Amino acid sequence: MLEQWYTGVVTKIVNETHNTRRFWIRVPEKATFDFKPGQFITLDLPIHEKKNKRWRSYSIASHPNGSNEIELVIVLLEGGAGSTYLFTEIKEGSELLLQGPLGKFTLPDQMEKDLFLICTGTGIAPFRSMIHHLKLHDIPHPNIYLISGSRKEGDLLYKSEMMQLQQEMPGFQYIPTLSREEDTSWAGRKGYVHAVYEELLADKRPAHFYLCGWKAMIDEARQRIQAMGYDRHDVHLELYG
């Protein structure tokens, strides 16, 4: 079955960090844009003659709220045709061709094991959707650890929002981890995300892993998680780039 394409209208754009933007897109053809937290949409951008070179997929950063508007958070990639087009050509009121929701990167039906949500950069988008969804609907959940890797504190996405959620949601822990922060005032974790989950799981308790971000991080995390003795079926991933 061919997926249907919709025309979305950009209702709002906000600069989040020096190289990331939040885009709100409304889909007037739908009364509500229904999706499962963790799913993505695909945009068809006028950047190439060939279809498969025009398509760019982005995780939905907002949670299902009964409206026909969704939020994306997008990083400007150096030399990236898709993100360059979105950053230079798209304004509030612009139209975008999109299809979705797509993808199976969604929460488990049985939430019995602790959840480790491990991301870099804009890979936090699907996890933000999941966490808000769990809180909004008071869904019982095990311990959830959101381990978010960035280079510097200024690169962290949704930081104050995640710190607020940590205070309001029992069992949810937000662990931002910085690989290149030189400012001595940073009191949080330094280094890479891998050391964090390895330390937390020294007891090898049952866990589900969700990985979202750049390929290098995901490849390394998969190897390390399996080396710790976890089954590959415990690991779910969404690759960027």
Side-chain angles (χ1 to χ4, degrees):
M1 183 179 134
L2 286 171
E3 281 288 329
Q4 191 179 343
W5 290 88
Y6 300 96
T7 300
V9 179
V10 177
T11 55
K12 186 175 160 189
I13 300 172
V14 170
N15 288 326
E16 185 70 0
T17 68
H18 74 284
N19 67 343
T20 56
R21 273 185 198 169
R22 297 164 70 180
F23 293 81
W24 281 261
I25 303 169
R26 200 163 53 82
V27 186
E29 293 159 80
K30 282 172 136 356
T32 59
F33 193 88
D34 290 321
F35 63 96
K36 288 182 179 171
Q39 288 191 301
F40 64 88
I41 61 157
T42 296
L43 300 178
D44 186 345
L45 304 174
I47 52 176
H48 204 278
E49 288 94 68
K50 288 187 179 165
K51 273 186 186 174
N52 60 347
K53 296 204 171 169
R54 293 202 306 257
W55 293 355
R56 296 291 185 276
S57 295
Y58 299 100
S59 294
I60 302 171
S62 47
H63 56 282
N65 59 6
S67 81
N68 61 355
E69 189 171 69
I70 55 170
E71 180 188 332
L72 308 179
V73 59
I74 296 171
V75 62
L76 179 62
L77 294 176
E78 220 172 300
S83 61
T84 299
Y85 176 82
L86 289 167
F87 272 61
T88 55
E89 302 297 324
I90 295 300
K91 312 276 182 279
E92 290 177 5
S94 295
E95 292 187 344
L96 287 165
L97 202 57
L98 63 95
Q99 68 166 206
L102 304 158
K104 297 184 170 66
F105 189 71
T106 51
L107 288 163
D109 296 330
Q110 304 294 317
M111 291 216 282
E112 290 146 1
K113 304 175 182 179
D114 285 0
L115 290 179
F116 283 77
L117 312 177
I118 303 160
C119 60
T120 44
T122 54
I124 194 171
F127 301 147
R128 178 183 185 240
S129 181
M130 291 173 184
I131 293 156
H132 275 292
H133 178 74
L134 292 173
K135 180 174 181 283
L136 185 69
H137 298 284
D138 262 336
I139 296 168
H141 58 81
N143 291 318
I144 301 174
Y145 301 89
L146 173 61
I147 305 167
S148 177
S150 285
R151 287 180 175 183
K152 301 194 171 188
E153 187 175 5
D155 299 322
L156 288 167
L157 298 167
Y158 306 115
K159 176 174 157 250
S160 54
E161 188 182 298
M162 291 303 140
M163 291 175 84
Q164 181 78 29
L165 282 167
Q166 178 173 248
Q167 290 178 337
E168 296 168 0
M169 267 179 92
F172 170 59
Q173 212 175 321
Y174 170 57
I175 311 170
T177 306
L178 307 180
S179 59
R180 297 191 190 171
E181 183 55 78
E182 285 125 30
D183 191 332
T184 50
S185 67
W186 173 253
R189 294 289 309 224
K190 285 188 178 178
Y192 293 99
V193 293
H194 311 294
V196 181
Y197 60 79
E198 286 177 337
E199 257 172 57
L200 288 168
L201 287 164
D203 57 2
K204 304 286 196 285
R205 66 184 180 278
H208 265 304
F209 300 86
Y210 282 76
L211 314 176
C212 189
W214 301 110
K215 186 176 185 305
M217 182 279 282
I218 286 184
D219 287 347
E220 184 168 346
R222 283 168 81 182
Q223 288 168 353
R224 287 182 179 232
I225 290 163
Q226 288 182 35
M228 291 161 74
Y230 290 96
D231 190 281
R232 61 187 178 85
H233 297 296
D234 293 325
V235 183
H236 313 273
L237 40 116
E238 195 77 280
L239 269 174
Y240 276 24

